[in-house]
Amino acid sequence: MSPNKALAHVTDWVFDLDNTLYPGACDLFAQIDQRMTQFVAQSLDLPPVDARALQKRYYAEHGTTLNGLMTRHNMTPDAFLDYVHDIDLAPLAQAPDLSAAIDALPGRKFVFTNGSMGHAERVTKELGIDHLFTDMVDIVAADFKPKPHKHAFDRFLDRTGVTPERAAMFEDLSRNLEPAHKLGFKTILVRSDKDWSHEPADARPAGMDEHPPHVHYVTDDLRGFLHALTPSKA
């Protein structure tokens, strides 16, 4: 079934932030990635190579590097979130076509991110789409339990009142769509031709050939995919 027919019932649209609402090719998240390595090295007094390895291991095992640091080292989150999200947003640009496509979707729109609220607000403002979202649910609102943990989804649903059977979720990480699929969301994987081989195999953004069974649709053009859902409006 075509997406515009299969998603005609959707009244709530849920978007991941990084590498989803903006293309992975702009390398914005690479800045966050580098700052996470620096933070781990400084906080745990590790050489950069060891800090990088530990960062990626915690990311793979705990959903985020922060969750690993909190679980294994009893680290408080504020300093980490402030440090890693202190980045240059210059690679982003206003996205009027994306704004129009999101605005044309019927119903409410949400950001659901493992990042911080401040980061989500800055990125969406830079893209020119911040005014379109009913709410943004970040890692703090999820009690620092990241997607794909069930607790993160429970907190998202409690806060927003979203009914999964009437919702669609867009993500660049396949594993984050597994619980969404089980809950009843329509799932859309946003793929990229960027080389993600440096990321842990089970926790890397989707490549162009990825289409796992818990994903209903895939796209490498978010704006185009959304425009096709409401061609007379977007």
Side-chain angles (χ1 to χ4, degrees):
M1 186 184 297
S2 63
N4 62 328
K5 292 181 179 179
L7 302 181
H9 68 292
V10 171
T11 57
D12 289 312
W13 306 86
V14 182
F15 296 88
D16 175 51
L17 180 71
D18 291 307
N19 299 320
T20 299
L21 282 174
Y22 63 82
C26 79
D27 277 341
L28 189 74
F29 195 78
Q31 295 184 57
I32 299 174
D33 193 39
Q34 292 169 1
R35 291 186 69 79
M36 283 193 284
T37 301
Q38 294 167 7
F39 186 90
V40 172
Q42 294 168 12
S43 299
L44 301 181
D45 194 22
L46 293 174
V49 172
D50 294 343
R52 182 80 171 171
L54 187 66
Q55 170 198 343
K56 295 303 180 184
R57 179 158 66 85
Y58 284 174
Y59 169 57
E61 295 176 355
H62 297 274
T64 61
T65 300
L66 173 60
N67 193 247
L69 292 171
M70 294 175 68
T71 301
R72 300 293 186 89
H73 304 277
N74 199 31
M75 188 171 290
T76 56
D78 291 350
F80 176 91
L81 291 173
D82 289 344
Y83 186 89
V84 304
H85 291 126
D86 184 14
I87 59 172
D88 177 13
L89 298 181
L92 297 178
Q94 292 281 307
D97 288 346
L98 176 62
S99 179
I102 294 175
D103 190 34
L105 296 172
R108 301 184 299 170
K109 297 93 179 181
F110 300 92
V111 170
F112 183 20
T113 176
N114 283 344
S116 70
M117 180 65 76
H119 177 60
E121 290 173 343
R122 289 190 295 272
V123 167
T124 55
K125 183 176 182 179
E126 191 73 15
L127 291 170
I129 60 175
D130 54 309
H131 61 290
L132 300 176
F133 297 101
T134 301
D135 198 2
M136 300 184 189
V137 180
D138 72 338
I139 192 66
V140 179
D143 302 320
F144 300 101
K145 296 294 184 183
K147 299 173 290 182
H149 286 277
K150 180 178 181 296
H151 182 81
F153 283 83
D154 289 343
R155 293 292 290 125
F156 175 83
L157 296 175
D158 288 345
R159 173 163 166 156
T160 63
V162 165
T163 300
E165 293 80 6
R166 297 189 62 81
M169 184 169 176
F170 296 78
E171 260 279 357
D172 67 307
L173 290 177
S174 171
R175 70 176 184 176
N176 289 349
L177 289 175
E178 291 189 58
H181 182 271
K182 290 177 182 178
L183 285 165
F185 284 82
K186 290 296 184 182
T187 54
I188 302 93
L189 187 64
V190 180
R191 306 188 299 188
S192 170
D193 60 1
K194 179 178 169 60
D195 180 8
W196 298 110
S197 59
H198 59 286
E199 297 290 351
D202 63 345
R204 63 181 55 142
M208 294 298 286
D209 60 346
E210 189 169 346
H211 192 163
H214 60 272
V215 168
H216 293 107
Y217 297 100
V218 297
T219 182
D220 62 351
D221 175 12
L222 178 63
R223 184 266 170 197
F225 184 92
L226 297 178
H227 175 79
L229 300 180
T230 55
S232 62
K233 299 178 181 180

